[in-house]
Amino acid sequence: MASAPAEKITESVTAEDQREQTDGFNLIIDALKLNGVKTIYGVPGIPITDFGRMAQAEGIRVIAFRHEQHAGNAAAIAGYLTKNPGICLTVSAPGFLNGLTALANATTNCFPMILISGSSEREIVDLQQGDYEEMDQLAIAKPLCKAAFRILHAEDIGIGVARAIRAAVSGRPGGVYLDLPAKLFGQVMDAAEGKDSLVKVIDPAPAQQPAPEAVERALKLLQSAERPLIILGKGAAYSQADDAIRTLIEKTGIPFLPMSMAKGILPDTHAQCAGAARSLVLKESDVVMLIGARLNWLLSQGKGKPWGGKKQFIQIDIEPREMDSNVEIAAPVVGDIGSCVSALLEGIDADSHSPSKDWVDAVKAKKDANVAKMAPRLANDNFPMDFHGALGALRTVIKERPDAILVNEGANTLDLARGIIDMYHPRKRLDVGTWGVMGIGMGFAVAAAIETGKPVLAIEGDSAFGFSGMEIETICRYELPVCIVVFNNGGIYRGTDVNERNSDPAWTTFVAESRYDKMMEAFGGVGVHATTPEELKQAVDSAMDSGKPTLVNAAINPAAGSESGRIGNLNPQSKLQKK
Ligand code: ADP
Ligand code: MG
């Protein structure tokens, strides 16, 4: 606490003046600490530099990044992993805008985070009189996040922080913006009154019980199914209702399909996992139960060819307005996943809610066939390496280290790794999420290491890595147990495109045969150049054993890789293109 130095208090000051004082800096720190905030991710600068220093002195971990977007992504994934809002701290205007990308992405993904930005003085901003980094940040943030607040007076800090926390984690989680004008930090008030004004948020994300009729309707529909399917989304992973979900699936024997970040709630190697029979189960199922997964583009909006016609859906979600957003939901179950799944379990009886034997057999046959087809490709020893050979090696790494956290982004590197690398534990796979956005890699890796203390393996396309690559300095500075593997095929999708018009490179290519491993060495980390699956596995194993920040440059055949990975259908191509 800041208090007036004793020697300055003369006999002439009144008792009133002698009372201990506090200020905005201290009150914000106290409010965050009171609510269990242990880590802040950010980038220093005006007007928050001293705030970061003071927070660090007060025992909060303050992790400084090189760019706000990555600090924001770190905060977002910290929120996802812990169910407490991740905190990102930025300077005004440009720093705020950099962080805003991560805030919007967090909101889209239903990750709870709070972006706290310093801002210029209201009086000048509102009259547009030209302040340092002048910008009406609150107005800009509002449409891009779940809620946005500004605190103007020190006595409102307690309530302001409490509102931000509640807004981030209650109901459907999301991103919250908290605007702190520079003047607020220095505002002074009586320390006892200040302490009294702070709010400890009780039960920030209250359980939301589903209506008994909704549960009954869902059970009845499930009972009528011949070929039921359960789809687990990242909302299910977020809810941490792992035991209840596993019991529901195992008690009924229904095949389940995990969305990307839901992999590992039950192991991908589980007998009921239908990951390797995805096309079949989407097309042939008759009743589909969605648990914390939205029918967005990642599930073809719940209709059309991949679904082979109209389905009956049961949807479990905390957000009532999610129901019927794309197709009719026959049995909406609104509530938090833990409460909903537990309520369903009470009414489940293994005999009447189990799938037909034909269905279970059909799924298994398809799965076995696909797994057998893939096996030789994963064991290939092609030189130069291809995606499958390299991913085959990393698949074994995760199999041997199921506790490690996998961060994954890219195009081919993402799509293929998602299918190939089995996950064994919940919330171990962190990737590009709902937007399929590039640039989450290093921010996610930093926060995953800090929040969990587990080793992190980040599998990155060379293009994807470029968006956050400078944060390897952050990883080295904090000595985090992060091993980055750059799948280096020298370009976006491929490294072989040619511009036939002039000497400029094709705009999808990078410098051929780059050595990303040398970048890591520049900051004191370990750099390895790997050209075979065996070298790759060895390098990653040794990084995971040592816990030393490592970057492995995996030299992938520049001709390997397909346009836009698995989502080429979303990338329009001209038939009139001139060479
Ligand atoms: P995926 O991309 O894995 O399919 P989505 O992000 O599309 O997953 O869907 C996650 C869903 O989970 C969102 O609709 C969100 O409202 C919901 N959700 C998040 N947390 C909870 C929770 N604790 N209880 C219920 N639903 C939740
Ligand atoms: Mg590439």
Side-chain angles (χ1 to χ4, degrees), residues 61-105:
R61 240 185 136 182
V62 184
I63 307 295
F65 283 71
R66 305 299 294 265
H67 187 287
E68 292 86 353
Q69 189 178 130
H70 313 307
N73 284 326
I77 211 66
Y80 169 75
L81 289 168
T82 64
K83 296 181 96 173
N84 297 313
I87 309 290
C88 175
L89 182 64
T90 82
V91 303
S92 37
F96 154 77
L97 287 173
N98 289 343
L100 195 56
T101 306
L103 187 71
N105 187 53

Side-chain angles (χ1 to χ4, degrees), residues 282-443:
L282 288 187
K283 197 173 266 163
E284 304 290 332
S285 54
D286 58 358
V287 173
V288 179
M289 186 193 286
L290 301 159
I291 307 184
R294 286 170 286 186
L295 287 174
N296 54 21
W297 69 283
L298 291 158
L299 284 170
S300 313
Q301 265 85 21
K303 55 196 169 195
K305 217 169 144 208
W307 289 91
K310 207 172 165 209
K311 304 274 144 157
Q312 294 209 281
F313 286 103
I314 301 165
Q315 183 161 25
I316 302 180
D317 205 290
I318 203 157
E319 174 57 62
R321 287 177 305 173
E322 185 57 38
M323 307 299 158
D324 306 326
S325 54
N326 283 286
V327 293
E328 178 187 290
I329 301 299
V333 184
V334 174
D336 75 277
I337 287 168
S339 301
C340 291
V341 173
S342 301
L344 284 168
L345 268 175
E346 279 177 32
I348 286 281
D349 101 70
D351 289 336
S352 50
H353 293 104
S354 293
S356 70
K357 182 167 182 305
D358 285 354
W359 177 233
V360 172
D361 290 347
V363 175
K364 183 174 184 311
K366 183 75 189 170
K367 209 173 116 170
D368 291 349
N370 283 346
V371 168
K373 207 158 73 188
M374 184 61 100
R377 299 187 70 185
L378 298 181
N380 92 61
D381 221 357
N382 293 340
F383 188 87
M385 265 191 295
D386 62 21
F387 285 95
H388 286 86
L391 287 169
L394 298 178
R395 177 182 201 258
T396 311
V397 170
I398 294 295
K399 188 176 178 184
E400 290 167 357
R401 301 166 191 273
D403 214 26
I405 295 199
L406 180 67
V407 172
N408 188 201
E409 62 176 334
N412 291 278
T413 307
L414 172 85
D415 292 343
L416 294 170
R418 182 175 51 221
I420 289 170
I421 299 183
D422 288 329
M423 303 306 296
Y424 301 86
H425 295 312
R427 295 170 293 284
K428 297 293 187 188
R429 186 184 156 83
L430 311 175
D431 67 28
V432 303
T434 304
W435 266 349
V437 70
M438 294 295 125
I440 49 87
M442 298 304 102

